[in-house]
């Protein structure tokens, strides 16, 4: 079963509190989502392989570490996932980016796909799929399946707020995918919104409500 990593770093928790507050408008919401994503990416990439190379400092030659040419990809789930993309790219600027367009039908709660464009060499890449919200897990599970059908080397899922129901769904459908989240909340409400959550991440990022 995939592991769940919850981030208890004070900076992440502080910024997440500001992000959740209903007083926070779109500009600040975008900035906070970006900053939290960068901080999380630092940990999500902790297991990247390194190799020793020889360099010359101004003083002498030394053996030093470099990342061992690992090919990465970042896949935001549109639209709200875009709010996490630049924050991750700040730390991994050479990663390729794929996009999956999905929205959750408000009546059936089923994910509806409207766009998919992934790097052609996805089978040589380790991917980080990003979406701020893991609610029922329907969107994440569907996105992970589209991606898996193209045989990437490995996949991690990174979100800001997860519900226990969404974690259970991803662990059941995709036991090989680890989940990285800034918080695991209490439950879903009758409209499948995360409680206490932060509301509709896409609307808060882009001011559409
Ligand atoms: O786990 P689930 O129950 O599937 O819900 C989570 C999904 O809902 C939100 O997207 P939304 O459908 O609001 O689309 P948007 O990003 O375009 O706003 C969110 O960004 C996730 O993709
Ligand atoms: O709480 C939720 C659930 C689904 N999508 C959101 O944006 N927020
Ligand atoms: Mg939305």
């Amino acid at each position: 079963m995939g592991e769940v990593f919850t981030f208890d770093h004070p900076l992440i928790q502080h910024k997440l509190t500001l992000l959740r507050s209903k007083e926070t408008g779109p500009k600040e919401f975008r900035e906070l989502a970006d900053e939290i994503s960068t901080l999380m990416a630092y940990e999500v990439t902790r297991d990247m392989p390194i190799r020793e190379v020889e360099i010359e400092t101004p003083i002498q030659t030394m053996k030093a570490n470099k990342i061992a040419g690992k090919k990465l990809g970042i896949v935001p789930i549109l639209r709200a996932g875009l709010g996490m993309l630049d924050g991750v790219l700040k730390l991994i600027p050479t990663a390729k980016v794929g996009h999956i367009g999905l929205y959750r039908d408000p009546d059936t709660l089923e994910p509806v796909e409207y766009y998919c464009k992934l790097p052609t060499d996805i089978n040589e890449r380790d991917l980080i799929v990003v979406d701020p919200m893991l609610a029922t897990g329907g969107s994440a599970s569907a996105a992970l399946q589209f991606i898996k059908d193209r045989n990437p080397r490995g996949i991690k899922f990174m979100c800001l707020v997860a519900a226990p129901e969404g974690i259970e769904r991803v662990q059941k459908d995709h036991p090989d995918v680890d989940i990285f989240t800034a918080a695991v909340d209490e439950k879903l409400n009758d409209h499948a919104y995360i409680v206490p959550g932060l509301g509709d991440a896409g609307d808060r990022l882009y001011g559409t409500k």
Side-chain angles (χ1 to χ4, degrees):
M1 181 176 314
E3 281 194 67
V4 180
F5 298 90
T6 309
F7 291 76
D8 58 2
H9 193 289
L11 281 175
I12 294 178
Q13 290 303 310
H14 177 83
K15 289 173 190 294
L16 181 65
T17 299
L18 298 176
L19 190 81
R20 286 181 189 272
S21 168
K22 68 177 185 182
E23 306 300 331
T24 301
K27 172 181 176 288
E28 208 188 338
F29 192 95
R30 281 195 298 273
E31 289 166 359
L32 288 162
D34 184 71
E35 290 166 6
I36 297 170
S37 303
T38 303
L39 292 168
M40 288 179 72
Y42 176 75
E43 268 307 308
V44 173
T45 51
R46 175 170 284 283
D47 63 353
M48 285 173 95
I50 50 175
R51 70 187 163 92
E52 247 186 19
V53 294
E54 196 168 276
I55 59 163
E56 275 183 51
T57 77
I59 310 297
Q60 68 164 55
T61 308
M62 72 172 284
K63 289 198 179 359
N65 293 326
K66 274 188 132 180
I67 290 168
K70 190 168 182 174
K71 289 188 169 180
L72 292 179
I74 307 164
V75 183
I77 301 177
L78 307 182
R79 150 189 76 134
L82 288 175
M84 299 177 70
L85 175 63
D86 286 348
V88 180
L89 277 175
K90 251 176 233 157
L91 289 193
I92 325 169
T94 57
K96 286 196 176 172
V97 179
H99 294 83
I100 293 187
L102 281 182
Y103 70 88
R104 189 176 76 166
D105 184 288
D107 299 320
T108 65
L109 300 180
E110 289 301 315
V112 181
E113 187 200 353
Y114 58 88
Y115 189 75
C116 184
K117 184 85 179 175
L118 297 167
T120 48
D121 60 354
I122 194 170
N123 56 324
E124 297 169 21
R125 292 188 179 265
D126 287 286
L127 303 181
I128 305 171
V129 178
V130 298
D131 189 329
M133 309 307 279
L134 180 62
T136 65
S139 304
S141 184
L144 290 168
Q145 195 54 55
F146 292 142
I147 294 169
K148 278 188 180 173
D149 290 345
R150 286 140 171 115
N151 295 315
R153 274 209 312 232
I155 315 179
K156 293 174 178 173
F157 183 80
M158 179 175 152
C159 60
L160 302 183
V161 182
E165 294 89 335
I167 291 175
E168 199 177 311
R169 171 82 187 265
V170 170
Q171 285 184 324
K172 178 170 151 281
D173 294 353
H174 302 287
D176 51 328
V177 176
D178 288 339
I179 298 169
F180 297 80
T181 183
V184 179
D185 275 10
E186 194 189 324
K187 59 178 181 182
L188 298 177
N189 68 13
D190 292 344
H191 303 286
Y193 272 84
I194 299 177
V195 178
L198 50 73
D200 189 299
D203 286 339
R204 294 202 60 191
L205 277 164
Y206 301 115
T208 40
K209 216 174 211 170

